[in-house]
Amino acid sequence: MVGYGFMGMAHSQGWRNARSFFDPPLRPRLAALGGRNRDAAGELADRFDWPVVETDWRALVARDDVHVVDVCTPGDTHAEIAVAALEAGKHVLCEKPLANTVAEAEAMAEAAAKAREHGVRSMLGFTYRRVPALSLARRLVAEGRLGRLRHVRARYLQDWLTDPTAPYTWRMSRERAGSGALGDIGAHAVDLAQFLTGEFVSGVSAVTDTFVHERPLPDGGGTGAVTVDDAAVFLGRLDGGALASFEATRYATGRKNALRIELNGDRGSLAFDLEELNVLHFHDATADTVVQGFTRILVTEPEHPYLEAWWPPGHGLGYEHAFAHQAVDLLSAIDAGTDPEPSFADGLRVQRVLAAVEESHEAGGSWTAIPAPATAAETA
Amino acid sequence: MVGYGFMGMAHSQGWRNARSFFDPPLRPRLAALGGRNRDAAGELADRFDWPVVETDWRALVARDDVHVVDVCTPGDTHAEIAVAALEAGKHVLCEKPLANTVAEAEAMAEAAAKAREHGVRSMLGFTYRRVPALSLARRLVAEGRLGRLRHVRARYLQDWLTDPTAPYTWRMSRERAGSGALGDIGAHAVDLAQFLTGEFVSGVSAVTDTFVHERPLPDGGGTGAVTVDDAAVFLGRLDGGALASFEATRYATGRKNALRIELNGDRGSLAFDLEELNVLHFHDATADTVVQGFTRILVTEPEHPYLEAWWPPGHGLGYEHAFAHQAVDLLSAIDAGTDPEPSFADGLRVQRVLAAVEESHEAGGSWTAIPAPATAAETA
Amino acid sequence: MVGYGFMGMAHSQGWRNARSFFDPPLRPRLAALGGRNRDAAGELADRFDWPVVETDWRALVARDDVHVVDVCTPGDTHAEIAVAALEAGKHVLCEKPLANTVAEAEAMAEAAAKAREHGVRSMLGFTYRRVPALSLARRLVAEGRLGRLRHVRARYLQDWLTDPTAPYTWRMSRERAGSGALGDIGAHAVDLAQFLTGEFVSGVSAVTDTFVHERPLPDGGGTGAVTVDDAAVFLGRLDGGALASFEATRYATGRKNALRIELNGDRGSLAFDLEELNVLHFHDATADTVVQGFTRILVTEPEHPYLEAWWPPGHGLGYEHAFAHQAVDLLSAIDAGTDPEPSFADGLRVQRVLAAVEESHEAGGSWTAIPAPATAAETA
Amino acid sequence: MVGYGFMGMAHSQGWRNARSFFDPPLRPRLAALGGRNRDAAGELADRFDWPVVETDWRALVARDDVHVVDVCTPGDTHAEIAVAALEAGKHVLCEKPLANTVAEAEAMAEAAAKAREHGVRSMLGFTYRRVPALSLARRLVAEGRLGRLRHVRARYLQDWLTDPTAPYTWRMSRERAGSGALGDIGAHAVDLAQFLTGEFVSGVSAVTDTFVHERPLPDGGGTGAVTVDDAAVFLGRLDGGALASFEATRYATGRKNALRIELNGDRGSLAFDLEELNVLHFHDATADTVVQGFTRILVTEPEHPYLEAWWPPGHGLGYEHAFAHQAVDLLSAIDAGTDPEPSFADGLRVQRVLAAVEESHEAGGSWTAIPAPATAAETA
């Protein structure tokens, strides 16, 4: 695993819990942790029993005892590490967003397609797909319970930049992060819209904004320039005809981690909010009229996705549990010789939407079409 | 009062309740009800004790015992009736939307400005401004409790056309209704965004759609062509810099009357849903961190707007109560010689936004700027 | 109608709305308003167009143009007025609680039974039974949708006495009010438990308390002694075997009018809160497990009880609307020659529970059985 | 650690996470797992890296490398194991309820008091005290934010026995489990009421019931007799004067794990539901009236109890996280030489309430006083 920050911690917990709570056909063994900062990486290794720390990711990728490379670094390094790992024949799990640019994303999808020919698997870390309520949502849509889709509303609202004196971080740098709220959290909203509906966004009109342009450096010396968006609002269409509305912001005061998505079809609707992650709201328009309404499903029954491995009904899961689900599903796919989802191609499709948002914004909010996947790498 | 449909009933109840529960300085007396269909108008007159029915609105406007003309007809007749009434020196309350076109709206704002010089008042029926929770919301914004605004999200979701076999009505005809969800309910969303913030929408990008193009006529003979939008999604900017996102639809399955609006500022946030009309959610970002969150204010205390006249705390109001508040405020303004709000100019500003939405849609979703008010009539 | 306070206003509005929004077979005409204080009664009469004010209720009862006597006075006068009216051959609608003592309640039930033999109808104002969500709840229970009942939880929480300096009113006097929170609001909780289940409470254990014993008189001169309960907590059993838990209090800080009731049966559950009066929560335990949960039914569809007369879906009702439903149902019963519900006998059954609560409390919280109805008057 | 069931898993995860996410002054090392069934214990050991399995708990207690004994077995074995471990000088963490009888609980409190003289610590596993929202609730009460308490409502609602054909388990046996819903989940409700208020329950009136008396054995051969309560409803008083209402049931259809508690004081109120475990509702009655209401606090900020160790704001915790908090606090207390909470004496106080509930029930629901703690062991 490369990376030792917030994501390094979440992934470490995911691998460990996959083994303790599930019975994956391949049993994960933590081999080595990669991180340029040996002290910081060493502390994480100590907490989660990583036996080895490598300060050069190339050394980690070269190790014989490493079969899966889990990339948890900032977005600007994803392409280089993931492509190298795939070429070295290692299965790859890569944190989202796939890359900082469409070009990088295309190269990665290409590399994944090639590696696949040799049985090497790649998977992208849109982990929220494996929050049980959202896995259930996908199942209900796929079963046709919503009928013909008319509307999708997907927004990811946070508020950690509301205060104009909140300090500067690498996430505000276009070079490191690629974009701001758009790529960090908007990517989740777009991926979920595409995942839940099974359709692609075919075009957008967008406005983005940077409300605060300079922020104090955390070390107290001066300010850093914010070169990414603080917020992005866009509307679009899914290729099945539904109207879509998106938003990603770090200025939604009081909304801490509100990834909200609602789907309306002519037979039913679904609504979800990540701040209440064990709950899915489902409206069945085919039910008896007098008892129709949104049903608040507490997604903690053994019949619900992934829940059989955990606690009794009503004992909720937390943020990190989906990382175990992701690990289990990757191990199962490697064992079965199938392709895990989401693929790098799925990531590329999200990247194309993000790029179209920026393009639309730069063109003053005009409609920007997104081409349908054309190459084999994009449809994997 | 002209009109005997759903709105005629709501306004009749409003006038009556204004007298029974409040102490307006002018006491309303129901003079005459206008309606082309004498039977239908007569039935409403009988239910609410209107002493006279006039089948020609011109006769009604000409009556000496009529001092206020309340226009509750479909949008295509607003301009003609309202302008005639104002010219006859009658105060006018006109249902929303102000008109079906910008040109008509301009003429009405002009007429209102002229009439005002002679002490004749005009008011537009964006009644939701007087739902106590929304009146309170405006007060909190005006007091600066939200600080600098960053985001507005306003959507009005209904679902009565989800079923493709739902029958055809005049609301689906461009000639009668002007537009579909956009003017019928989107107008409320736009008005509230402008009212609550005290700012104007300065531009939009929009997509609208008609999902079902033919609907069965209610009499069973054939189908009617749907010539208006079923749904409209648009994003925009307020002239103070906030990003705005709007939606109006009749296809949001399970959402019956969900006029939802949220404002985020750097000091606080507000959220409201008309399906829970006695409640306002307020997040105070200046409070002690450990107890911050959205406070669910049950807006039924005597200290809340309009509530002193009604029931004890916790005894909620319903949909129709805001019509009484509207009537009281109009009577108070007439008595005081001041201008009631919302004005026809406010209606014109909403109309300009609706027109820009249609223009943007026709131009393929491109950004469409909305000019700032220029004439005296528009800034009234 | 006798009485001109809060209830006088609610009933006036109810009678008026019954005529304007419904088509009762008998059309109500406001005949005369009774009230000892001519000025206060006169003001209400003026607001609601009562043509006559009588300062002696006996004169009102004696009037030939009065066919229904609506008793809205404090509880200590109910028995005398209602019995006299019934004996004079007038139909009677009496506000709850039926009376201040079991003896009075028995006399009233007796009088109602006698009057009934001559086609004279009596009805008790447990108006909440006609809040549409609660009417629907009863319908669902009666249809067997909850199966065998195991639990009932009914509490009525208010907070207007939380502040120890809140002023003294007649509701704190045992002589006038009979009891405190118990009879004022606990009576509703007990009636709803019995109404929704169709069963009787067969015994209770109870504790009541008076937290503040002296309160300032509203005129500023000294204090009044609080001689009633501030709160009552009791548990009980329904005769069908379900366990029941009750509470009534004026000290539930932040709960303004929270009449909450939940029923659990082996096939389903229902939950309701009067602070959200247009909503009923229904859990169907026979549904597909993966989509089970509490469904939030917005009780505003034309298929819901009483709703066809009101506004379109999603346009909520308020507190006072149930008074119109009560009026319509009484008029329909009179016309049809059937017995309206709730009957005085229903009120007597509630009164017996309240008396048992007080008895249990005085006996230190011991179990107190409630006899099953024995006489004809009690089973009417 | 002794025990390998549901609780064995939760505690294993707790110890592991304590080390990975926190920095306890003493670093826990998993020494040995005790379990009579070597295969079942072995599987848990394998999943969580317990290096040794002991099939005799006496051997485990005797090991030199064991410093803390964590008792996760059914209640009938708690006393024997815990007392032996304390006498062997091992610190003890014991799952709730402390014991199946008051006599056992007294012996354990006695043993804990003795051991304490030698610096040996004991702690009881009322883990919910360390759900961050409830830790915060205690802090707010202790700070006086609720003022003088008037009401406590605590109920723990589950529904896994609603179906009369649900299979028999050891939890339905009086011999093994001591009691049914009462001791299993009612104990949590009582402990929280006492913990949050800092007061004791001084008396109760109670009714319990067993709705289904025979259940099919899981192996298909015949039925087992249910010898414990299915549900318990009781009311009581706290020694500070507040009225309390309790309920524990396994028949609340649709409520999966609804541990709900509400406190009302004359300055504020708190409400919590374990089905939404990251949320605390707080009503501040001293705030400006127009913005008063229940604030929905998402308890995921770094300023909230235990949260600094976990994820960013809005990224919720799950059921098991409180077990890590418990482990950390025990280790900190051992290191500091202080007494961890809850103590065995706290457990005894809960046990006395449970015993009073059963006594009251057997006496037909009569009031049963609970003596104040008398001995040193009980006030530890």
Side-chain angles (χ1 to χ4, degrees), chain D residues 23-41:
Chain D
D23 296 296
L26 299 173
R27 188 166 173 158
R29 197 165 43 74
L30 303 188
L33 178 68
R36 275 177 306 181
N37 180 330
R38 179 175 290 279
D39 286 351

Side-chain angles (χ1 to χ4, degrees), chain C residues 27 33 94 132 168 173 175 198 208 251 291 376:
Chain C
R27 189 168 173 157
L33 177 68
C94 181
Y168 185 86
S173 150
E175 287 66 39
T208 75
Y251 282 73
V291 295

Side-chain angles (χ1 to χ4, degrees), chain B residues 211-269:
Chain B
F211 295 123
V212 174
H213 293 274
E214 298 277 331
R215 288 188 172 271
L217 292 172
D219 59 10
T223 61
V226 179
T227 52
V228 298
D229 60 279
D230 280 337
V233 182
F234 47 110
L235 53 84
R237 241 184 218 286
L238 294 176
D239 53 14
L243 292 177
S245 155
F246 297 94
E247 183 171 358
T249 179
R250 292 162 171 170
Y251 282 72
T253 308
R255 306 300 180 190
K256 300 301 174 181
N257 201 33
L259 171 54
R260 295 176 170 197
I261 189 158
E262 176 164 332
L263 309 179
N264 305 131
D266 61 8
R267 294 171 56 86
S269 288

Side-chain angles (χ1 to χ4, degrees), chain B residues 145 288 290 294-296 304, chain D residues 145 288 294-296 304:
Chain B
R145 299 242 202 172
D288 178 6
V290 298
F294 276 83
T295 298
R296 186 181 184 277
H304 289 141
Chain D
R145 298 240 202 173
D288 178 6
F294 277 83
T295 298
R296 187 182 183 275
H304 289 141

Side-chain angles (χ1 to χ4, degrees), chain A residues 136 139-140 145 282 288-298 301 303-304, chain C residues 136 139-140 145 282 288-298 301 303-304:
Chain A
L136 175 61
R139 187 197 290 177
L140 296 176
R145 298 241 203 172
F282 172 50
D288 178 6
T289 302
V290 297
V291 295
Q292 273 189 33
F294 277 83
T295 298
R296 186 181 185 274
I297 307 169
L298 195 59
E301 298 295 308
E303 291 83 358
H304 288 141
Chain C
L136 174 61
R139 186 197 293 177
L140 296 176
R145 298 242 203 173
F282 172 50
D288 178 5
T289 302
V290 299
V291 295
Q292 272 188 31
F294 277 83
T295 298
R296 185 181 185 277
I297 306 169
L298 196 58
E301 298 295 309
E303 290 84 357
H304 289 141

Side-chain angles (χ1 to χ4, degrees), chain A residues 56-357:
Chain A
D56 182 346
W57 64 262
R58 287 174 192 82
L60 184 141
V61 166
R63 290 178 68 98
D64 284 347
D65 62 346
V66 165
H67 302 286
V68 177
V69 175
D70 182 356
V71 184
C72 300
T73 54
D76 58 339
T77 60
H78 285 184
E80 188 179 13
I81 301 175
V83 171
L86 288 170
E87 287 174 357
K90 314 294 192 189
H91 309 293
V92 172
L93 172 61
C94 181
E95 248 313 300
K96 51 63 43 184
L98 186 58
N100 279 0
T101 66
V102 168
E104 286 171 343
E106 285 174 337
M108 292 174 78
E110 194 72 32
K114 268 193 211 140
R116 188 188 175 215
E117 292 169 17
H118 308 95
V120 176
R121 308 294 159 190
S122 47
M123 185 188 201
L124 182 59
F126 278 124
T127 319
Y128 290 141
R129 289 187 178 200
R130 289 180 164 86
V131 169
L134 289 169
S135 303
L136 175 61
R138 173 58 192 152
R139 187 197 290 177
L140 296 176
V141 174
E143 288 173 4
R145 298 241 203 172
L146 265 57
R148 185 174 174 78
L149 288 176
R150 298 304 191 185
H151 290 288
V152 177
R153 274 161 230 109
R155 55 204 75 250
Y156 203 146
L157 310 177
Q158 296 185 341
D159 75 351
W160 54 285
L161 291 186
T162 296
D163 178 354
T165 68
Y168 185 86
T169 82
W170 67 267
R171 289 186 181 276
M172 297 160 207
S173 151
R174 172 163 286 271
E175 287 66 38
R176 300 298 309 286
S179 66
L182 180 62
D184 181 20
I185 54 179
H188 281 297
V190 171
D191 181 62
L192 277 182
Q194 297 190 142
F195 164 63
L196 292 180
T197 61
E199 301 180 9
F200 299 154
V201 177
S202 60
V204 294
S205 285
V207 180
T208 76
D209 209 341
T210 305
F211 296 122
V212 173
H213 292 274
E214 298 277 329
R215 286 187 173 273
L217 293 171
D219 59 11
T223 59
V226 178
T227 52
V228 298
D229 60 279
D230 280 337
V233 181
F234 48 110
L235 54 85
R237 239 182 219 288
L238 293 177
D239 53 14
L243 291 177
S245 155
F246 297 94
E247 183 172 358
T249 179
R250 294 161 170 170
Y251 282 73
T253 308
R255 305 301 179 191
K256 301 301 173 180
N257 200 34
L259 171 56
R260 296 176 170 197
I261 188 158
E262 176 164 330
L263 308 180
N264 305 131
D266 61 9
R267 293 171 57 85
S269 289
L270 287 171
F272 172 82
D273 182 348
L274 188 60
E275 288 189 358
E276 204 175 5
L277 71 81
N278 295 291
V279 171
L280 180 67
H281 298 271
F282 172 50
H283 179 94
D284 181 357
T286 68
D288 178 6
T289 302
V290 297
V291 295
Q292 273 189 33
F294 277 83
T295 298
R296 186 181 185 274
I297 307 169
L298 195 59
V299 187
T300 59
E301 298 295 308
E303 291 83 358
H304 288 141
Y306 304 109
L307 260 298
E308 203 171 356
W310 296 104
W311 314 111
H315 294 66
L317 301 188
Y319 163 70
E320 81 231 47
H321 293 77
F323 290 90
H325 307 162
Q326 176 172 272
V328 167
D329 287 345
L330 174 55
L331 294 167
S332 300
I334 291 171
D335 180 67
T338 56
D339 289 312
E341 291 197 333
S343 66
F344 281 17
D346 290 327
L348 172 57
R349 279 166 210 142
V350 171
Q351 209 70 35
R352 290 203 191 286
V353 177
L354 304 185
V357 166

Side-chain angles (χ1 to χ4, degrees), chain C residues 45-354:
Chain C
D46 187 44
R47 288 177 181 274
F48 285 92
D49 299 320
W50 290 95
V52 173
V53 170
E54 298 278 7
T55 54
D56 182 347
W57 63 261
R58 286 173 192 82
L60 184 139
V61 166
R63 291 178 68 98
D64 284 345
D65 61 347
V66 166
H67 303 285
V68 177
V69 174
D70 182 356
V71 183
C72 300
T73 53
D76 59 339
T77 60
H78 286 183
E80 189 179 12
I81 301 174
V83 171
L86 288 169
E87 288 175 358
K90 313 294 190 185
H91 310 292
V92 172
L93 171 61
C94 181
E95 249 312 300
K96 49 62 50 183
L98 186 58
N100 280 1
T101 67
V102 168
E104 286 171 342
E106 285 172 338
M108 292 173 79
E110 195 72 32
K114 267 192 213 140
R116 189 188 173 214
E117 292 169 18
H118 308 95
V120 176
R121 309 292 158 191
S122 46
M123 185 187 200
L124 183 59
F126 279 125
T127 320
Y128 291 142
R129 290 186 177 201
R130 290 181 163 86
V131 169
L134 288 169
S135 304
L136 174 61
R138 173 59 193 152
R139 186 197 293 177
L140 296 176
V141 174
E143 288 172 4
R145 298 242 203 173
L146 265 55
R148 186 174 173 79
L149 288 176
R150 299 304 192 184
H151 291 288
V152 177
R153 274 161 229 109
R155 56 204 74 250
Y156 203 145
L157 310 178
Q158 296 185 341
D159 75 351
W160 54 286
L161 291 186
T162 296
D163 178 353
T165 67
Y168 185 86
T169 82
W170 68 268
R171 291 186 180 276
M172 296 160 207
S173 150
R174 172 163 289 270
E175 287 66 39
R176 300 299 308 285
S179 66
L182 181 62
D184 181 20
I185 54 178
H188 281 297
V190 171
D191 180 63
L192 277 181
Q194 298 191 142
F195 164 64
L196 291 180
T197 62
E199 300 180 11
F200 297 155
V201 177
S202 59
V204 294
S205 286
V207 181
T208 75
D209 209 342
T210 305
F211 296 123
V212 174
H213 293 273
E214 297 277 331
R215 288 188 172 271
L217 293 172
D219 60 11
T223 60
V226 178
T227 53
V228 298
D229 60 279
D230 280 337
V233 181
F234 47 111
L235 53 84
R237 239 182 220 287
L238 294 177
D239 52 15
L243 292 177
S245 155
F246 296 95
E247 183 171 358
T249 179
R250 293 162 170 169
Y251 282 73
T253 309
R255 305 300 179 192
K256 301 301 174 181
N257 200 34
L259 172 54
R260 294 177 170 196
I261 188 158
E262 176 164 331
L263 309 180
N264 305 132
D266 61 7
R267 293 170 58 85
S269 288
L270 286 172
F272 172 81
D273 182 349
L274 188 60
E275 288 189 358
E276 205 175 6
L277 72 80
N278 294 291
V279 171
L280 181 67
H281 298 272
F282 172 50
H283 179 95
D284 181 357
T286 68
D288 178 5
T289 302
V290 299
V291 295
Q292 272 188 31
F294 277 83
T295 298
R296 185 181 185 277
I297 306 169
L298 196 58
V299 187
T300 58
E301 298 295 309
E303 290 84 357
H304 289 141
Y306 304 108
L307 260 299
E308 202 171 356
W310 297 104
W311 314 110
H315 294 66
L317 301 189
Y319 164 71
E320 82 232 46
H321 294 76
F323 290 90
H325 308 160
Q326 176 173 272
V328 168
D329 288 346
L330 174 56
L331 294 167
S332 300
I334 291 171
D335 180 66
T338 58
D339 288 312
E341 292 197 331
S343 66
F344 282 16
D346 290 327
L348 172 57
R349 278 165 210 142
V350 171
Q351 208 71 36
R352 289 205 191 285
V353 178
L354 304 185

